[in-house]
PDB file of all heavy atoms in Angstrom:
ATOM      1  N   LEU A 170      17.957  13.179   8.190  1.00 94.00           N
ATOM      2  CA  LEU A 170      19.002  13.958   8.868  1.00 94.00           C
ATOM      3  C   LEU A 170      18.400  15.192   9.519  1.00 94.00           C
ATOM      4  O   LEU A 170      18.760  15.558  10.642  1.00 94.00           O
ATOM      5  CB  LEU A 170      20.100  14.346   7.876  1.00 94.00           C
ATOM      6  CG  LEU A 170      21.014  13.199   7.423  1.00 94.00           C
ATOM      7  CD1 LEU A 170      21.917  13.648   6.283  1.00 94.00           C
ATOM      8  CD2 LEU A 170      21.858  12.677   8.583  1.00 94.00           C
ATOM      9  N   ASN A 171      17.475  15.841   8.826  1.00 92.00           N
ATOM     10  CA  ASN A 171      16.825  17.026   9.400  1.00 92.00           C
ATOM     11  C   ASN A 171      16.050  16.679  10.665  1.00 92.00           C
ATOM     12  O   ASN A 171      15.914  17.500  11.576  1.00 92.00           O
ATOM     13  CB  ASN A 171      15.880  17.676   8.383  1.00 92.00           C
ATOM     14  CG  ASN A 171      16.628  18.480   7.331  1.00 92.00           C
ATOM     15  OD1 ASN A 171      17.829  18.709   7.452  1.00 92.00           O
ATOM     16  ND2 ASN A 171      15.924  18.899   6.292  1.00 92.00           N
ATOM     17  N   ASN A 172      15.526  15.446  10.703  1.00 91.00           N
ATOM     18  CA  ASN A 172      14.782  15.003  11.884  1.00 91.00           C
ATOM     19  C   ASN A 172      15.695  14.435  12.962  1.00 91.00           C
ATOM     20  O   ASN A 172      15.209  13.999  14.010  1.00 91.00           O
ATOM     21  CB  ASN A 172      13.756  13.926  11.484  1.00 91.00           C
ATOM     22  CG  ASN A 172      12.555  14.517  10.783  1.00 91.00           C
ATOM     23  OD1 ASN A 172      12.209  15.683  11.004  1.00 91.00           O
ATOM     24  ND2 ASN A 172      11.922  13.731   9.929  1.00 91.00           N
ATOM     25  N   GLY A 173      16.979  14.399  12.679  1.00 90.00           N
ATOM     26  CA  GLY A 173      17.928  13.855  13.651  1.00 90.00           C
ATOM     27  C   GLY A 173      17.953  12.337  13.664  1.00 90.00           C
ATOM     28  O   GLY A 173      18.508  11.721  14.574  1.00 90.00           O
ATOM     29  N   ASN A 174      17.329  11.713  12.645  1.00 92.00           N
ATOM     30  CA  ASN A 174      17.252  10.261  12.608  1.00 92.00           C
ATOM     31  C   ASN A 174      18.478   9.712  11.873  1.00 92.00           C
ATOM     32  O   ASN A 174      18.427   9.375  10.696  1.00 92.00           O
ATOM     33  CB  ASN A 174      15.955   9.852  11.898  1.00 92.00           C
ATOM     34  CG  ASN A 174      15.620   8.405  12.134  1.00 92.00           C
ATOM     35  OD1 ASN A 174      16.496   7.607  12.457  1.00 92.00           O
ATOM     36  ND2 ASN A 174      14.347   8.077  11.992  1.00 92.00           N
ATOM     37  N   VAL A 175      19.558   9.611  12.621  1.00 93.00           N
ATOM     38  CA  VAL A 175      20.848   9.250  12.010  1.00 93.00           C
ATOM     39  C   VAL A 175      20.848   7.795  11.530  1.00 93.00           C
ATOM     40  O   VAL A 175      21.382   7.474  10.470  1.00 93.00           O
ATOM     41  CB  VAL A 175      21.998   9.494  13.014  1.00 93.00           C
ATOM     42  CG1 VAL A 175      23.330   9.011  12.449  1.00 93.00           C
ATOM     43  CG2 VAL A 175      22.073  10.967  13.378  1.00 93.00           C
ATOM     44  N   VAL A 176      20.217   6.927  12.320  1.00 94.00           N
ATOM     45  CA  VAL A 176      20.250   5.492  11.999  1.00 94.00           C
ATOM     46  C   VAL A 176      19.574   5.230  10.659  1.00 94.00           C
ATOM     47  O   VAL A 176      20.102   4.552   9.777  1.00 94.00           O
ATOM     48  CB  VAL A 176      19.583   4.682  13.122  1.00 94.00           C
ATOM     49  CG1 VAL A 176      19.411   3.230  12.715  1.00 94.00           C
ATOM     50  CG2 VAL A 176      20.410   4.776  14.402  1.00 94.00           C
ATOM     51  N   GLN A 177      18.384   5.798  10.511  1.00 95.00           N
ATOM     52  CA  GLN A 177      17.645   5.570   9.267  1.00 95.00           C
ATOM     53  C   GLN A 177      18.377   6.207   8.082  1.00 95.00           C
ATOM     54  O   GLN A 177      18.458   5.624   7.002  1.00 95.00           O
ATOM     55  CB  GLN A 177      16.238   6.138   9.378  1.00 95.00           C
ATOM     56  CG  GLN A 177      15.301   5.433   8.414  1.00 95.00           C
ATOM     57  CD  GLN A 177      13.905   6.014   8.382  1.00 95.00           C
ATOM     58  OE1 GLN A 177      13.306   6.124   7.328  1.00 95.00           O
ATOM     59  NE2 GLN A 177      13.395   6.400   9.541  1.00 95.00           N
ATOM     60  N   ALA A 178      18.916   7.406   8.305  1.00 96.00           N
ATOM     61  CA  ALA A 178      19.661   8.082   7.231  1.00 96.00           C
ATOM     62  C   ALA A 178      20.841   7.227   6.797  1.00 96.00           C
ATOM     63  O   ALA A 178      21.116   7.074   5.608  1.00 96.00           O
ATOM     64  CB  ALA A 178      20.144   9.455   7.700  1.00 96.00           C
ATOM     65  N   ALA A 179      21.515   6.637   7.780  1.00 97.00           N
ATOM     66  CA  ALA A 179      22.688   5.812   7.474  1.00 97.00           C
ATOM     67  C   ALA A 179      22.289   4.574   6.684  1.00 97.00           C
ATOM     68  O   ALA A 179      22.974   4.167   5.737  1.00 97.00           O
ATOM     69  CB  ALA A 179      23.389   5.402   8.762  1.00 97.00           C
TER      70      ALA A 179
END
Side-chain angles (χ1 to χ4, degrees):
Chain A
L170 288 171
N171 283 350
N172 284 333
N174 195 338
V175 175
V176 171
Q177 204 185 140

